[in-house]
Amino acid sequence: MEILMAIVVGILFTSAVYLMLSKSLLRIIIGTSLLSHGAHLLLLSISGLKAGAPPLLGEHAADYADPLPQALILTAIVISFGVTSFFLVLAYRAYQELGTDNVDQMRGNEGND
Amino acid sequence: MINLPILPILIPLFAAIILMFFGKNITMQKWIGAIATAGTVAASIVLVNVVHTEGIQTVDLGSWKAPFGITMVSDMLSALLVTTTSIITFFVLLYSFRSIGKDRERFYFYPVVQFLLVGVNGAFTTGDIFNLFVFFEVMLMSSYVLLVLGGTKVQLRESIKYILVNIISSALFVVMVAYLYSVIGSLNMADISVKIAEFDQPGILTVIAVMFLVVYGLKGAIFPLYFWLPGSYYAPPTPVLALFGALLTKVGVYSIIRTYTLFFYHDTGYTHTILAWLAILTIVVGCIGAIAYWDVKKILIYNIIIAVGVILFGVSVMSPESLEGSVYYLIHDMIIKAALFLLVGVMIAITGTSNLRKMGGLIKDYPWLGWTFLIATLTLAGIPPFSGFIGKLLLVRGSFAAEAYLGGGLILLSSLFVLYSVIKIFLNGVWGVPKEYNGSNKHNAFYLWGSTVFLVILAVAYGVGAEAVRPLISQASEALSDPGIYIQAVLKE
């Protein structure tokens, strides 16, 4: 099961890198979302995908899933959610001000010469 | 006070929350911001004193014992860095009262600065690897806002690049925490160190070590990963630039120091050789950039990169003396970089340009500014009475003693380029033929200079009073050379 997840995460990372190397800003943002999906799935699967009850003590099971990675993922999800929404608004504002969403055309002399 | 180590995090946090209620009342914002930051400075100085007399201070949050809960750890290194950070933020805050402008102040500039202080102080204090990630994000999120606040075209453009780079490095950080957790099964730094020592660092941990170098190198701008920094740091206004230049990259440097002295010190032949070569290349690239430009901001921005390389070379040598030099130089560099960015900001405020060819003759009307700038440049380059000297002396002696002649020689040579690059600003901007300027008036410039001069005095005192701070620095570097001290303080075995 972990091997299958590793391959899926690899595909997600590949797609994310491909999208982030493209010219359109929206494709780049989709790439960052895929990257964080990949990272979160990796965090879940790498601590082991053994069969066990959901981490609720009311289940009275003999074996539970590891609760720590789930807490880490939950934290990482809200952080990446906040950053992504900020990035999307920034992209919208940049489109209004600069008039393009092509990162190749977002050049200027002030910061780059 | 058992909660003393977290006070430098809590005070700015509560200040930021309170400040958000006074969005439009700028006078109130200034007062609360300044008082809270002064309180943070006071708390962190008390913390340094307590750590000095009683040893490493830890707080187990929620009273959960060490490997199971989040532990905040103040050893001497983190206490000193927290103090330096708070002092720098205080003076940058004073500087920004007159320079940041109503437009930015009305849109939550001061709360965001407090949040940045929370993130940086938290990253220096935490003893948990995932908590470090969270504090990185607090710091980065505030830096995104500070970078883009104002919304000029250059800021928007550079923010996009900066955010993209940091999203990628944050995702890599999560991946690395995942790998480390799968191998070690713990997130507490001291516990991780104990377990890595038990495994004697197998191959997979060396891979993780190198990937951590990539993650922190992206934050701290080491050689192949520094590409985002010159453009991004060019965009924001001066006080924000001073905060970024003094604090943000140093958090990455601190994280490299922490992980490479606490976790990955078993197979130093491989990981620390990579670190040494990257540090050397970082110095070279920084020197090339620093002497290439005729723009005052650009010159100083490349000087950040040189300093990162110098500090990390001392870490890669891993001898007690070079580590002491690194710690000493790290604190020196934070103070003097903030001072130099602010002084250059005063020059830009007067002349209205950052192009060195359009400046000149500032010494005639602004002698106080010119001479302060000269002292700051000499301090940066490491001329003996001032603070850059002792750090570099220890670094060079440490690396020669460890027979790392190339790096040690390069550090000496880089001082020459640093001196050349900043004296170029002095010769062309401060001396020369006076020109007509239509920037800010003399009264305003004097206020801006007045809030900067304390940082220069502090940097000079740090060099002249080296004998007084030496015990603190030694205590910090002892805990770095011997991870057992840190582990014992946290796990209380």
Side-chain angles (χ1 to χ4, degrees), chain A residues 43 46 66 106 110-111 113, chain B residues 157 178-179 181 234 293 298:
Chain A
L43 196 47
I46 208 156
D66 190 351
M106 284 187 193
E110 302 97 331
D113 59 358
Chain B
R157 207 168 45 219
Y179 275 125
Y181 181 69
Y234 194 82
Y293 284 97
K298 272 280 152 79

Side-chain angles (χ1 to χ4, degrees), chain B residues 11-12 15 19 30-44 85-94 97 110 113-114 117:
Chain B
I11 296 172
L19 281 177
K30 286 176 177 172
W31 274 105
I32 295 176
I35 291 170
T37 318
T40 315
V41 173
S44 53
T85 303
S86 311
I87 292 173
I88 289 171
T89 311
F90 181 70
F91 287 114
V92 170
L93 211 56
L94 292 187
F97 287 169
Y110 296 115
V113 170
Q114 297 295 329
L117 189 58

Side-chain angles (χ1 to χ4, degrees), chain A residues 13 28 32 35 42-43 46-47 66 68 72 79 83 86-87 90 94 97-98 106-108 110-113, chain B residues 130 137 141 144 148 153 156-158 160-161 163-164 167 171 175 178-179 181-182 187 231 234 293 298:
Chain A
F13 278 166
I28 292 174
T32 60
L35 187 71
L42 187 77
L43 196 47
I46 208 156
S47 66
D66 190 351
L68 192 61
L72 302 188
I79 289 174
V83 174
F86 185 82
F87 199 8
L90 180 70
E97 288 280 319
L98 305 170
M106 284 187 193
R107 287 196 181 155
E110 302 97 331
N112 299 316
D113 59 358
Chain B
F130 195 78
E137 290 300 315
M141 199 72 191
Y144 302 155
V148 81
K153 282 185 180 175
L156 288 170
R157 207 168 45 219
E158 295 303 333
I160 288 173
K161 293 170 196 164
I163 293 179
L164 181 59
I167 286 177
V175 170
Y179 275 125
Y181 181 69
S182 77
L187 293 170
Y234 194 82
Y293 284 97
K298 272 280 152 79

Side-chain angles (χ1 to χ4, degrees), chain A:
Chain A
M1 191 62 187
E2 282 88 350
I3 292 175
L4 186 66
M5 287 297 275
I7 294 169
V8 171
V9 168
I11 293 171
L12 275 174
F13 278 166
T14 318
S15 325
V17 170
Y18 177 76
L19 281 171
M20 284 191 292
L21 291 174
S22 60
K23 284 181 183 173
S24 158
L25 192 51
L26 269 181
R27 277 166 171 263
I28 292 174
I29 297 176
I30 294 171
T32 60
S33 305
L34 289 185
L35 187 71
S36 48
H37 283 323
H40 301 153
L41 272 182
L42 187 77
L43 196 47
L44 184 69
S45 50
I46 208 156
S47 66
L49 291 169
K50 301 173 290 294
L56 296 167
L57 288 179
E59 296 279 318
H60 299 296
D63 198 15
Y64 291 98
D66 190 351
L68 192 61
Q70 303 187 11
L72 302 188
I73 292 167
L74 195 60
T75 314
I77 285 174
V78 291
I79 289 174
S80 75
F81 188 67
V83 174
T84 306
S85 48
F86 185 82
F87 199 8
L88 276 169
V89 174
L90 180 70
Y92 179 60
R93 184 72 203 279
Y95 177 70
Q96 283 181 326
E97 288 280 319
L98 305 170
T100 177
D101 80 328
N102 186 334
V103 282
D104 264 3
Q105 290 170 7
M106 284 187 193
R107 287 196 181 155
N109 292 327
E110 302 97 331
N112 299 316
D113 59 358

